Structure formats: C-alpha cells, structure tokens
Amino acid sequence: MCEGRSRKCTKRTCSLSIYFFSTVKKPPTITTQPESVTVFSVEDFVMTCEASGNPAPIFQWTKDGVAFDPGVDPELKVTEKSGSFVFYTLSVTMDSLKPYQGKYICLASNELGTAVSNEATLTPPAQQKEKKVSVTAEEGHSIVLKCNPPQSSMEPIIHWMDWRLRHIAESERVMHGTDGNLYFAHVTAEDSRDDYTCNVQYLATRTILAKEPITLTVTSTNQVVRSRRPHMMRPTGTHSSYLALRGQSLVLECLVQAFPTPKVKWLRKDGELSESRTSVEMFDRRLRFTNISESDNGEYQCIAENTQGKIVHTYTVTVEAAPYWVKEPLSQLYAPGETVKLDCQADGIPTPTISWTLNGTPLSDVDKDPRRSVSASGALTLKDVNFGDTAIYQCRASNKHGTVLTNTNVYVIELEPQILTKDGVSYEFVEGQKALLECDTFGSPKPKVNWESESMSSLLSDSRVNLAINGGLEISNVTHDDEGLFTCSVENSNMSVNAQLEILNRTVVVSPPQDLKVQPGHTATFRCVYSVDPKLNPPFIQWRKNEQKIFESHSDDRYTFEGSDLIISNVQQVDEGVYTCQVITDLDMAEASGTLTLYDRPDPPTLLHISKAKNHTMTLSWTPGDEHNSPIIEFIVEFEDQEERGEWEELKRVGGTKGNTRLSLWPHLSYRFRVFAVNEVGKSAPSKSTEVYEAPAKAPGKNPKDVRSDSTNLDTLVITWEEMDKRDFNGPDFRYRVMWRRAVGSGPNWNTNYTTSPPLIVHDVGNFSSFEIKVQAVNKEGEGPDPGAVIGYSGEDGKTTNTVLCSTKNIPILEVNTACVYKPGWKFESGKSLLVDLYVFFVFTAVIAIPLEAPASVALDSPSETEMTLRWSPPEQPNGVLTGYLLQYHRIVKSDDSPMLVETIDDPTVTHLTLKNLDRHSHYRFYLRGRTSTGDGESIKKDGATTLDGAAPVNVSVTAGETSANFSWVAKKRHRSVSFQIEFLNKNDGSKWKKVEKVDSSLPFYQLQGLTPGSHYHIRLSYNNSTFWEDDIDTEGTAMMERQPHFPTEGWFIGLVSAIALLLLILLILCFIKRSKGGKYSVKDKEEGPLDSEARPMKDETFGEYSDLEEKRTASQPSLCEESKLCSQDNLDFNGSSAITTELNLDESLASQLSRPSDGPDTLLQNNGLNSTVTILD
C-alpha cells in the first residue's frame, strides 16, 4: 500500500500481498458500545451493540448485573444481524418505560471468549406537572424566574424566549444561570411581560421541552429608586466549593443583585488564570474551565462592585479524576508453552482498584489455576499456555467517579511463518525524513525477522535504525548515503524479500516571503522562491493567512497569484496577519512565512489636559493615539490666540515618547491648545482643542528696541522707536513712557510723557541740541526694566538766502548772523555767472555739523576656527579728516547681556583687522565706525561667525543612468569645503575598486561616467581615509554581451599590419643613417629652431589650468556673504555731532581751492579674489 506522502512507489503497481486466512478464528471485539440515554419519548429507547469475530459472536445482555434477555420481553423488539444486536420498545406511552430504567452491559461471545461492553444507563426524565406562575417585583429589586429543567445524563441548553419564539435579551442586568433560571440584578418597568418561557434543549435526543410561560409584573413607585450595594444571588454567601473531574469542563458563576448594575472581575488567589484553559463568558458572570487539570486546584474569587460598594465570593476548586489508562494490555497470538504477561495500569483520583475477569466472569469465580497469578501492580501472568487458554480477559479499573474496562485477547495457536510484504518494492523518501521499510509477517509463534543492507554494514548498530514491532525497519533522518538494497528475512527459514531505498533532495524555500509594511490602499506582494527535486512532480503552492487557506478571488481581484507569488491589492486592516507559502510535493512539504503589517499616519492625541499652571508656565498632557505600526517621532503643540481666532501657530515640538510638556506662555493671552502626532508617514489630524486658558497679566518684561531721534524740523525733538509686539504687552492698558533731558546742564530730572505708539514730538527744544532719551514699556500691572539712555538731536536752524552752483545742482547757503554755512563735500566753481551775490573779499565762518558717514562696506573672512578678519572700505563722504576707526563687537546671546569688546585703529589707511581667540561655537555682531577730530561717525553692522574646519558633506543621494551616476549632497553649514574621494566596484565583472579624481564639497553635484549598463555597483565616499557614505546602485539598460570577433581582430589581419610596421621601421633607420653621414638640411631651420622653442607662446591650456586652479581655490572657500541677505550694507543709526569752525579767506588761495579738482572718496575697496568665508547669520 502507498501510505501518505512519506513514501512513493516507483513501480506502477504498489500493492501489498494480503495474506488472508479464511480458516483463522478471531476472538470477539466490541466495535460499537451501547450509550447512556435520557428518554424523553419512546423513540429514544434504543440499545445497540456491535461486535466482530470469527466465528460471528453471540450477544447477551445484563441489566443491573442480572442476565437480561430482550427477546423474551413482549414489549421489546429485537433486530439481530451478524455482528449486531439492537432492541427497542414497542410501547407508545412513557409510563411503560419505567421498568426498563437501569444499567445495561452487552456481552459478545464465540468459542474463543467473551468480550464485555461499557456500562450504559437508561434514565426516564422526572417530569413534573407545570403550573402557570405569576411573579410581582418592585422596580429596582432583584428577581429570579425558575426553569427547573429535568435531571438528565445529558447537559441541557437553556433558551428563554417569548411567545413569538424570540430570545429574551440578556445583559449584565438580565441573564440565565447554569441551573436554567433567569436572574435579574434589578428589574425595570420594561421587564413586565406575561410570556417568559424556558425552553430546554437536548442535542443528543434532538428534544426541546417548553415550560409554562411566566408572568412578571414590575410595580413602580413614586420615589426615586434607591441604590443598593451588590449581594450574591448564585452562589449565595461568601464561599462555595466545587469538585471537577480531570479533562472535563467546569463553570463558576457569579450572579449578583444590585442597583446600579455592578461590574464583575475574576482572579485566582494563588496565581494567574490559565490563558489556555480558562475563559470569561456571559458578560463576565461566568468563568469556564476547559479540559481542567490538577494544576487548576486552588481558590478563585469573583469581585462585584458598583458605586455603593463591592462583594467578594471565594470558590474552592478541587480537581479529581475518574480512572484512565496508563498502560493497556495488548491482544496477541501466542504459541503453546509461552508465558503470557498482561500489564494493566490505570490512574485516577482517588487511585483506582484493578480487577480481572475471564470472559466476563470474575477470576474469583473461575477455577483456580496455579499457572495464573495477579501481581500487586495489577499485572496478570499466565505460564505455559496451551490451546485451552485461549480466552478474552477484561481488566477493570474503578474508583468513586467511575469505571473503565478493556478487553484483551489471548489466542493460543500454532501457524507457519509467512512474509506478507511483496518482494521488490521500491521506496522513495526525502532526505531528513524517517524511512519505513515494511516486512509484515504472520505466524505463531510470532516470526523473528532480520534486516541486511548493501550500503550499511552493521545495520542495527546505527542509532538512527530501529526494528519496528511489526517487523518493519525504521531509519530516522535519512541521507543519500542510506540509498541501496535492503533484505528482510525470517529466522530459521529460507523466506526473504528485498526492498530498494532511494533518497531525494528535500524541498526548500530558497527565498521566503519577507515581512512587509504597507500603507492602506496599496498593493502587497509576497514572493516565494523554492527548489524541488527534479524527480518529483511539479509542486502545489498553497498560500495561507493565519493558517487558513487562501483562494484566488476572481470577483474583486483581492487575491491573485502569479506563479508562486501572492499579490494582495487594496490592502486594508483585515489583511494584516501572517502569510505562509506552502510548497507541497508528493513526498514532503516546505513552508515559510512573512508578516503583513499596515502602517499609516497616527491617530490624533486625545484627552488633552492642562495642569500645574504657575508663573506663566503650565503642563499640557495628552494620551497618544494609535501609532498604526509606525512609531511616533514627535508631537507638535499649537496654540490659537483668541483675539486672532482661526489662526493656529506652532508653539513647541516634543519627542515622540513623551505624553506631556512644560509650556512657557505670554502673559495676558487667551490660549487654546491642540496637538499633532507625527510619524514617518506624516502628520495626524489635529486633536480636539482644549478649553480656553487665560494666562495672567504681569508687568512688561522688555522695552522697545532701536530708540533714536529722527528730528528734521527746526526746534523740535522727534523721539521714535521700534514698536513692540502685542504679545510682549503682558497686560492691559499698555503704554510707552518716553523720557528725555538735555545731555548737558539739565540736571537729574527727566521730562516724561506717555503714548501708545511712536513717535513722540517735543517742541521748543532749540536747534541741533543733544538730548538723552529713553523709552520704557508700562501696563496696568507695572513697568518694564529700567531702560538705558541714548543720545538724540533736535532739528537744525537757518534759512535759504542765495544759491551757488555745486557740480550741476543748486546748493542752499544758510545765513547765520551774516556768516555762511556750507556742507563739506560741496564743490564750488568760481568764475561762473551764478555767483552774483557772493563777493570774493567776503569772509565767513563755516560750521561743520554733519555726522561722519559709516564705512562704505565690510567683509568678513575666517582664517581659522578662532580668528576673524574684517576688511572694509572707507566712508564715501568722510565730512572731515579721517583719523582712524573704532570697532566694537560682542557675542550674540539670548539674554543680550554679552559684554562689548572694543578695538581702536588709529591709522586711517588701515582697511583690515584680524581678531583672535574667538569662541568657535558663538556668533558675533560687529560695529565699525570712522573717526575724525570731531568724534565718531555712524556705524556699519555685520553679523558673522568663524568658519569651522572642513567636514564631509551630508544628505548624499545618487541617481543611476545607463553609463553614469549623478551624485548630490549638502555641504555642512559653517564648515570649510573639502575634497573627498569617490570609489566604485562593479560586482558583475569581478573587477577591483576604482577611484575618480577628488571632488570638492562646495560643488552642488558630480556625475560619475564610464559605468557599464545593466550592472550592479557598490559605491563609497571617503574623506580623510574614512568612509562616510556607501550604497549599492544598479545602472539602467541591459548588460553588454561579449563582443563577437571581426576582421580587425583576426590573426591574418594582425600579421599584415605587423609586417607593414616592420618595413616602415627599416626605412626610418636607413634615413637616419644617411642624415648622420652628412645629409643636407636648411640652415635657416636650424637657426630658427631654438628661437621657435624659446618664443613658443603660452598655450591656452596654461591659462585654462591657472583659471581652473584659481576657480577651484575660490570655490573651495566660497563667500558665505553671497548667500546671505545680511551681507548688504546695514548702517546703524548713530546720532552724534561735533562742530568745527574754520576760517577761510576768499582770496586767490580760496579761488584756487575752488577751482582745483577734488579727490572725493569714491574709490572702493576691491576684493581682489580674497575669500569671504564667514558664515553670515540669517
């Protein structure tokens, strides 16, 4: 016989010679046991017993231990066939069945012995006359509606229904118990009805018993229903005990009355509930044990709790066991003279007793035989057996919970040995399996067999080889070395059979399905690559999801198969699970699994809560939503100012592992908060916003910036400043307190005024007078910090009287007490007709009151990480004689309290300065002013930081084409550019690593050329002999095939070219010899030869190389100013002045001065290729 997939017969006829002895006798064996039954109708009374044997067995019955012959009872009908005996009642009334109640045993006998069946019980139900019941209960109280199902050996199923056969809705408040009764924890007015009907169903007999309907009337009261703490309804009290039998089921109930309906939970006092054998059912009111074992012994508790209190009930569970077999005696053939030993071992709680019967008769009632004995352990021994000892022995194990019985045949016979297995059978197994070579024998005494192999010298000495009880040969974990011819022979005979063993390669999943993470709506593809022995038929591929078979869906194309691949389209949540690819052949199976996981944007956070609000800080906490299999990276906290409804602003970002954060708030703002969760897929929807939170007001924490005078009109002081953000007002009634006083001679008192916005104009203050001014923020809660004072100036005085020509425009001349004022830088041209009102001999006093302009430009350079070089151009209009420069600088910090450092340059021709020992981690702000004898001029401001040492670029990406690959990267901010190396390795052709020229990190991209189409490359980028990035790429296109030879590579062609080259070489040698013997040549050529060599012009490549070198040097240190808008001139307003009174005589010297061309400061500093490698702050 071909059995299973573990063996394949290579011969088309794989049959086993069946040795059939028609004359061999067999003892009887019970094949169908009679069953216990509860009789609800006369049709249920049927007793059946079936047995086999040769000759056919004869049936007998006992009832309650007494012989019972159904055939002589006129009320019973017997149907007896060969091997079968059935009797049933002919009565039509249930009352006639009462005499037949009892315990029945079937005995099947032939000449070889008697087999005994299990005990079957026939029980008529205890039917009671039903009365219609009416129950009244007050609303809020508990009630129990009785069912009282009849006692039965079968467990009933209870259904409470109405007259329309609709189930009564059950809940935590209303449910039925295991006793069949309907329990109400408390009743409501809706519970009133007159058709509560209990239906008892017995599946074995296909019977449903309907009880009389019960009427429940719930009376209402005008008072409010009082709450009540829980009380036990079933079981009652605080403790109960239960006895369960091993392997059976046990249900613990916890039915509680209370108002409101309590919640129930279960626990084990001395450990954890078993996850595999316990389950909670019926709205947590039942604890079910399945296949209970001794380890479930212990105490369990039910805890019921509502708002009024709780109650605890303790259950003591004791597990015992009905008898069960540990070792059953085996039926065998024995030869005369052998010794029979029948081992019979059973266990149970309590320990069962072992007893023996012979053909159904206790051994104590059988003639004593000295050859027969029973040991203390229950083993039966029969020595020196003969043909008369053929019989059926029954071993019975009993305790208080029941009895188990087994029949054992002792057949004493003498038969010649026979080999039943066919000769020449071929077996095929897969390596690693257990091979079974059959050698079935028959005979009495049982024949002993020997096995030999041509491939295994000492067969039974191999630990993998075992001789089976039936004579077969078992070889575990077979290999190809086990292949060959095996011979089975019977001892003391010339009988033998041969068997051929062939070992095939095992089926292997070469590339198993990979674990996939897919977004909903996308397509998932599981691939399964396998290897199968070529001698096997093509395998069958079976895909399973969570161990359930998957079939291709044609209606919606949800599951499709392409070869061995599984494609799942439009993936949804229900598709998550473990997918297994099974490769099934005739002999074996291989499988591999992969997991499909959906990942998506996270759900929004929930349960936002504000707590610990103090000193304008508070804690915002939340509960993260479902991550959807993608960890949350961060949370984004946003707020909405209630004065600007609808506009949400980001306030803070928090790590994805946190569920709260401390927030700093602006005073006097009304906040609402919401939170987003972010994972690799994206940002969640916003959470529900919090309630409005009012941050308390406080005094301003800062004052306005950029306080200055902006005076243009005469006799006025215009004080202005940068208006503060409303969020910095910090409280109601916000105003600016403006204070001013004369810089000299005004004393300590300040003039004060209030305004809500700039500017503030002060009149009658004099012309071009200096003032100390400051502005302070104030609100209803108090004042801001004490502000520092700055110097400001009132407007200038004078009027226009005449005009002169200055270059091409008219310039006003201001008259001051018959003296004139001119502005330096004006160019007067003498001899022009427009000077009609200006006399040459007139002497005037010029008052220079114009502040010095700021330097024209400033550039920053960083020679090292701690040095900064400033290069500048002088002011375009110095308005006097430039005497030097003043440089002020400080570190940029949040607190604005960094000290100001000062450098003085006394040489006006100096246009650069290098600062050393700077902090490499800080940014600096520089103020540069020109200086004249009258004072310091306006400043030019520049922010910057030192440039750090070079570092490898980051964010490297690569895109492959057919023969090239494009690289792009991002140079690290504030770091000098570097040169890095690109190396690549073609994994297809086995070549070595190749390098390209070094690449400058300041370049935006680089193209690597000369790659082979359709090839797999490994790329790595290194700097300072250290690899900082590597990846694999595949070039597009198909791999180049080996080029076919053509005639330029043919041997004959190569030989021809070689011959021609040799002839040319000989001719050249002859010419050289001739010239060396005095050949003529041109003198002119000889004379001009060196000149041509000396005068050879520089090649374009020379300039190209220089240009490239210069470009590379410049590109390696690019000016960061080019990328920053802050590199433009940013002049700080500085108000300062000085007066210089100069007396000039309008004589010939003045005329000569007026006619002499003026060298204005219009020459700017040229960069001349210098590197500006300073990071400018954005």
Side-chain angles (χ1 to χ4, degrees):
M1 296 178 62
C2 291
E3 192 172 335
R5 290 191 302 268
S6 62
R7 178 168 59 88
K8 177 184 177 184
C9 300
T10 55
K11 292 186 177 182
R12 298 306 177 192
T13 58
C14 176
S15 60
L16 178 66
S17 297
I18 301 175
Y19 191 93
F20 181 75
F21 299 93
S22 60
T23 59
V24 173
K25 298 179 180 180
K26 288 186 177 181
T29 302
I30 302 292
T31 56
T32 300
Q33 300 279 355
E35 295 182 354
S36 298
V37 64
T38 299
V39 180
F40 294 97
S41 66
V42 292
E43 289 83 2
D44 298 333
F45 181 12
V46 178
M47 283 291 173
T48 302
C49 183
E50 295 180 1
S52 63
N54 186 21
I58 299 171
F59 293 92
Q60 294 176 310
W61 291 84
T62 65
K63 176 178 177 291
D64 298 328
V66 179
F68 174 73
D69 187 359
V72 300
D73 191 329
E75 295 292 329
L76 299 179
K77 174 67 173 178
V78 174
T79 301
E80 189 171 6
K81 298 179 182 179
S82 177
S84 174
F85 191 100
V86 179
F87 68 90
Y88 50 91
T89 182
L90 298 175
S91 178
V92 294
T93 61
M94 288 292 293
D95 293 338
S96 63
L97 299 183
K98 289 182 180 180
Y100 299 103
Q101 180 179 353
K103 297 178 180 179
Y104 293 83
I105 294 177
C106 171
L107 297 92
S109 306
N110 67 10
E111 60 186 81
L112 299 182
T114 301
V116 181
S117 74
N118 295 332
E119 190 176 76
T121 302
L122 187 145
T123 306
Q127 295 281 7
Q128 298 178 355
K129 187 151 179 96
E130 294 287 338
K131 296 181 180 179
K132 191 160 187 179
V133 178
S134 296
V135 180
T136 302
E138 187 175 333
E139 187 174 9
H141 287 203
S142 62
I143 195 71
V144 179
L145 303 185
K146 301 288 186 179
C147 178
N148 298 324
Q151 294 296 322
S152 170
S153 58
M154 300 174 291
E155 183 178 354
I157 300 175
I158 306 299
H159 304 273
W160 280 90
M161 311 177 81
D162 60 15
W163 68 274
R164 294 181 178 176
L165 298 181
R166 293 181 302 188
H167 281 85
I168 301 298
E170 297 192 4
S171 64
E172 292 180 337
R173 185 179 64 86
V174 182
M175 69 191 67
H176 74 274
T178 55
D179 59 356
N181 298 336
L182 189 63
Y183 291 83
F184 292 79
H186 63 270
V187 294
T188 64
E190 290 77 12
D191 294 328
S192 294
R193 59 190 311 151
D194 59 359
D195 57 354
Y196 285 97
T197 305
C198 177
N199 295 273
V200 185
Q201 180 183 15
Y202 296 94
L203 292 177
T205 59
R206 294 174 293 181
T207 302
I208 297 179
L209 301 179
K211 297 287 190 172
E212 285 291 327
I214 300 176
T215 299
L216 172 60
T217 303
V218 179
T219 60
S220 301
T221 62
N222 295 328
Q223 299 178 352
V224 177
V225 177
R226 294 180 57 185
S227 298
R228 292 179 293 110
R229 61 177 300 165
H231 291 278
M232 294 299 298
M233 300 176 71
R234 176 179 171 83
T236 58
T238 60
H239 183 271
S240 56
S241 298
Y242 292 83
L243 176 64
L245 296 182
R246 177 180 180 269
Q248 295 183 356
S249 296
L250 172 67
V251 176
L252 303 182
E253 286 187 294
C254 186
L255 304 181
V256 187
Q257 57 170 314
F259 182 78
T261 304
K263 297 292 183 181
V264 174
K265 63 180 179 180
W266 293 88
L267 57 86
R268 181 173 182 172
K269 291 183 65 176
D270 56 349
E272 297 291 331
L273 291 172
S274 170
E275 293 184 0
S276 61
R277 295 190 305 276
T278 61
S279 60
V280 177
E281 302 174 348
M282 193 61 76
F283 308 100
D284 298 340
R285 265 51 176 183
R286 292 182 187 173
L287 179 64
R288 177 179 292 275
F289 294 81
T290 304
N291 192 24
I292 197 168
S293 68
E294 290 85 346
S295 63
D296 295 317
N297 275 314
E299 289 192 338
Y300 299 82
Q301 284 187 335
C302 155
I303 302 174
E305 186 174 8
N306 68 0
T307 56
Q308 301 303 303
K310 70 177 181 180
I311 189 171
V312 178
H313 189 90
T314 302
Y315 306 77
T316 300
V317 175
T318 303
V319 180
E320 295 187 352
Y324 57 91
W325 293 118
V326 176
K327 185 175 183 180
E328 295 185 59
L330 300 176
S331 297
Q332 292 190 40
L333 299 177
Y334 298 93
E338 288 188 303
T339 296
V340 177
K341 185 176 181 180
L342 304 179
D343 287 324
C344 184
Q345 299 178 22
D347 201 357
I349 303 175
T351 302
T353 57
I354 304 295
S355 62
W356 287 91
T357 60
L358 176 60
N359 292 328
T361 304
L363 289 182
S364 58
D365 297 340
V366 179
D367 294 337
K368 292 186 178 181
D369 190 334
R371 298 177 300 127
R372 186 172 57 233
S373 62
V374 179
S375 68
S377 62
L380 173 65
T381 304
L382 184 60
K383 300 178 180 179
D384 191 22
V385 294
N386 54 48
F387 296 113
D389 292 322
T390 298
I392 301 177
Y393 290 82
Q394 290 83 33
C395 179
R396 190 188 307 268
S398 304
N399 67 8
K400 66 178 182 178
H401 300 301
T403 300
V404 291
L405 179 143
T406 182
N407 292 281
T408 304
N409 302 331
V410 175
Y411 193 2
V412 182
I413 191 172
E414 196 168 28
L415 294 171
E416 290 294 326
Q418 296 286 338
I419 297 179
L420 306 181
T421 303
K422 186 178 180 180
D423 186 22
V425 177
S426 292
Y427 298 90
E428 287 184 353
F429 290 92
V430 173
E431 55 181 336
Q433 289 182 338
K434 177 188 285 187
L436 175 59
L437 308 183
E438 295 180 353
C439 186
D440 292 336
T441 60
F442 186 82
S444 181
K446 185 172 181 62
K448 294 182 179 180
V449 300
N450 293 321
W451 280 91
E452 296 177 352
S453 170
E454 63 178 9
S455 60
M456 303 174 68
S457 57
S458 181
L459 198 59
L460 294 179
S461 64
D462 192 330
S463 60
R464 299 179 300 120
V465 179
N466 182 41
L467 190 62
I469 296 176
N470 62 358
L473 186 67
E474 294 179 351
I475 308 175
S476 302
N477 194 23
V478 294
T479 66
H480 290 285
D481 294 335
D482 298 325
E483 291 182 331
L485 184 67
F486 289 79
T487 302
C488 170
S489 61
V490 177
E491 284 186 1
N492 301 321
S493 75
N494 59 355
M495 289 183 293
S496 66
V497 292
N498 293 325
Q500 184 70 35
L501 177 62
E502 184 177 3
I503 306 301
L504 305 181
N505 295 325
R506 73 176 70 195
T507 302
V508 178
V509 178
V510 179
S511 178
Q514 301 297 311
D515 293 338
L516 301 179
K517 286 183 69 175
V518 182
Q519 289 183 248
H522 289 210
T523 297
T525 301
F526 284 106
R527 305 194 182 280
C528 183
V529 181
Y530 57 86
S531 173
V532 174
D533 192 291
K535 294 181 181 179
L536 293 172
N537 293 325
F540 172 70
I541 307 300
Q542 176 66 65
W543 281 93
R544 294 176 180 268
K545 175 194 172 187
N546 298 333
E547 300 183 357
Q548 301 297 317
K549 290 184 179 181
I550 296 176
F551 300 97
E552 189 167 12
S553 53
H554 299 284
S555 58
D556 55 0
D557 294 330
R558 186 169 186 78
Y559 295 115
T560 54
F561 302 109
E562 288 188 2
S564 60
D565 297 342
L566 170 64
I567 301 174
I568 310 171
S569 59
N570 190 23
V571 173
Q572 300 300 326
Q573 193 73 35
V574 296
D575 295 319
E576 283 190 321
V578 178
Y579 288 81
T580 303
C581 168
Q582 293 181 328
V583 184
I584 304 170
T585 68
D586 297 333
L587 296 182
D588 68 342
M589 179 189 75
E591 64 180 21
S593 300
T595 302
L596 176 61
T597 305
L598 265 67
Y599 73 111
D600 203 354
R601 296 190 308 163
D603 289 342
T606 58
L607 304 178
L608 270 65
H609 178 65
I610 295 175
S611 61
K612 299 180 182 179
K614 184 179 179 182
N615 296 332
H616 302 93
T617 62
M618 45 140 310
T619 297
L620 178 66
S621 58
W622 58 86
T623 300
D626 192 339
E627 296 181 347
H628 292 299
N629 298 314
S630 179
I632 294 176
I633 301 172
E634 63 179 354
F635 294 98
I636 302 175
V637 180
E638 293 187 348
F639 76 95
E640 179 190 50
D641 184 353
Q642 296 307 291
E643 292 186 2
E644 301 175 359
R645 296 290 296 272
E647 295 186 7
W648 290 87
E649 299 182 44
E650 181 177 318
L651 182 60
K652 192 174 184 180
R653 291 180 178 244
V654 184
T657 60
K658 296 185 177 181
N660 62 77
T661 185
R662 194 74 179 164
L663 299 177
S664 298
L665 307 178
W666 284 286
H668 193 54
L669 249 65
S670 297
Y671 290 89
R672 281 200 311 156
F673 301 97
R674 69 182 185 185
V675 181
F676 293 86
V678 181
N679 63 11
E680 63 175 313
V681 182
K683 188 165 70 172
S684 71
S687 68
K688 291 183 179 180
S689 58
T690 63
E691 298 294 328
V692 175
Y693 175 77
E694 298 280 352
K698 73 172 187 178
K702 61 172 66 175
N703 292 314
K705 298 180 180 179
D706 196 18
V707 178
R708 63 191 185 278
S709 66
D710 194 7
S711 308
T712 57
N713 295 328
L714 304 178
D715 202 26
T716 59
L717 175 64
V718 178
I719 303 173
T720 188
W721 57 91
E722 183 180 322
E723 198 162 4
M724 291 175 60
D725 191 313
K726 289 183 178 181
R727 292 175 182 169
D728 295 325
F729 288 180
N730 288 8
D733 299 335
F734 178 83
R735 294 173 295 165
Y736 298 100
R737 175 189 288 171
V738 185
M739 294 167 282
W740 70 95
R741 66 183 180 185
R742 292 188 180 274
V744 179
S746 62
N749 297 325
W750 291 87
N751 301 298
T752 303
N753 202 343
Y754 293 89
T755 182
T756 57
S757 62
L760 178 71
I761 302 176
V762 184
H763 299 279
D764 301 327
V765 293
N767 299 326
F768 203 73
S769 299
S770 60
F771 289 84
E772 287 184 282
I773 57 178
K774 57 183 180 179
V775 180
Q776 186 178 30
V778 297
N779 63 19
K780 188 177 181 179
E781 302 296 324
E783 304 171 349
D786 187 20
V790 299
I791 300 298
Y793 297 87
S794 59
E796 299 181 23
D797 190 14
K799 60 182 180 179
T800 302
T801 57
N802 290 294
T803 61
V804 296
L805 185 66
C806 176
S807 295
T808 59
K809 55 184 179 180
N810 293 327
I811 303 300
I813 300 299
L814 306 181
E815 182 181 43
V816 184
N817 297 325
T818 68
C820 293
V821 177
Y822 82 100
K823 294 185 178 181
W826 290 350
K827 298 178 182 179
F828 294 90
E829 297 184 11
S830 60
K832 295 293 180 72
S833 60
L834 289 178
L835 297 175
V836 293
D837 295 328
L838 185 61
Y839 296 97
V840 174
F841 58 87
F842 184 71
V843 179
F844 65 91
T845 300
V847 181
I848 303 176
I850 303 302
L852 181 65
E853 290 186 4
S857 64
V858 172
L860 302 179
D861 185 14
S862 178
S864 71
E865 292 189 346
T866 59
E867 294 181 327
M868 184 81 76
T869 298
L870 286 80
R871 303 181 188 275
W872 62 85
S873 300
E876 293 183 357
Q877 300 293 341
N879 294 344
V881 178
L882 189 67
T883 61
Y885 296 93
L886 176 67
L887 174 64
Q888 298 171 299
Y889 64 97
H890 66 87
R891 289 192 304 116
I892 300 175
V893 295
K894 292 183 178 179
S895 57
D896 292 334
D897 59 356
S898 176
M900 185 72 76
L901 304 177
V902 179
E903 294 284 343
T904 303
I905 301 99
D906 295 328
D907 185 354
T909 63
V910 172
T911 57
H912 68 276
L913 176 66
T914 300
L915 301 175
K916 300 184 178 181
N917 299 322
L918 300 180
D919 183 4
R920 61 190 294 269
H921 300 293
S922 298
H923 293 75
Y924 287 85
R925 180 164 293 159
F926 301 91
Y927 304 90
L928 182 66
R929 309 170 189 269
R931 314 189 86 173
T932 65
S933 59
T934 60
D936 298 336
E938 298 179 353
S939 67
I940 182 171
K941 181 178 72 172
K942 182 76 71 175
D943 292 349
T946 60
T947 302
L948 304 182
D949 289 340
V954 295
N955 297 341
V956 179
S957 62
V958 60
T959 304
E962 284 195 5
T963 60
S964 63
N966 293 328
F967 294 83
S968 63
W969 55 84
V970 176
K972 282 194 173 181
K973 193 174 183 181
R974 287 193 59 201
H975 286 264
R976 302 178 189 277
S977 60
V978 299
S979 295
F980 60 89
Q981 186 76 57
I982 299 180
E983 299 174 273
F984 59 97
L985 173 67
N986 190 335
K987 290 190 173 183
N988 289 5
D989 58 9
S991 59
K992 296 183 179 179
W993 283 94
K994 298 180 181 179
K995 297 182 180 180
V996 299
E997 72 274 8
K998 289 191 175 182
V999 181
D1000 198 304
S1001 64
S1002 63
L1003 298 175
F1005 70 94
Y1006 178 82
Q1007 186 177 68
L1008 175 63
Q1009 297 182 343
L1011 302 182
T1012 304
S1015 298
H1016 184 69
Y1017 284 89
H1018 186 69
I1019 310 290
R1020 66 187 182 197
L1021 278 60
S1022 58
Y1023 169 66
N1024 279 349
N1025 296 323
S1026 176
T1027 300
F1028 63 88
W1029 180 91
E1030 59 183 330
D1031 199 0
D1032 289 342
I1033 65 170
D1034 292 296
T1035 55
E1036 298 177 354
T1038 56
M1040 296 181 62
M1041 303 299 292
E1042 182 179 357
R1043 182 174 299 173
Q1044 299 297 325
H1046 54 293
F1047 78 91
T1049 61
E1050 293 293 334
W1052 63 267
F1053 182 77
I1054 295 175
L1056 178 63
V1057 172
S1058 300
I1060 295 174
L1062 181 60
L1063 291 175
L1064 290 176
L1065 179 60
I1066 294 173
L1067 291 175
L1068 288 174
I1069 293 173
L1070 294 175
C1071 291
F1072 176 76
I1073 294 173
K1074 182 179 180 181
R1075 288 178 64 94
S1076 62
K1077 291 183 178 181
K1080 296 181 179 180
Y1081 55 90
S1082 172
V1083 176
K1084 181 180 179 181
D1085 291 342
K1086 183 174 181 181
E1087 292 175 349
E1088 292 181 353
L1091 179 62
D1092 293 341
S1093 176
E1094 294 290 338
R1096 184 180 296 116
M1098 183 180 292
K1099 293 183 179 181
D1100 293 341
E1101 288 81 352
T1102 304
F1103 287 101
E1105 292 174 1
Y1106 175 80
S1107 176
D1108 290 344
L1109 177 63
E1110 194 65 24
E1111 288 178 3
K1112 289 180 180 178
R1113 187 182 68 83
T1114 305
S1116 66
Q1117 295 181 344
S1119 174
L1120 297 179
C1121 288
E1122 295 175 1
E1123 300 176 359
S1124 175
K1125 63 182 180 181
L1126 295 179
C1127 286
S1128 60
Q1129 291 190 10
D1130 187 9
N1131 297 330
L1132 296 176
D1133 291 331
F1134 178 83
N1135 295 310
S1137 68
S1138 60
I1140 299 178
T1141 304
T1142 304
E1143 185 173 13
L1144 300 177
N1145 295 323
L1146 286 179
D1147 53 10
E1148 293 180 357
S1149 63
L1150 173 62
S1152 63
Q1153 290 179 22
L1154 294 176
S1155 63
R1156 186 183 302 122
S1158 176
D1159 295 330
D1162 52 2
T1163 302
L1164 299 178
L1165 177 65
Q1166 300 297 323
N1167 195 22
N1168 293 329
L1170 294 177
N1171 298 327
S1172 300
T1173 58
V1174 179
T1175 303
I1176 303 302
L1177 296 179
D1178 292 333

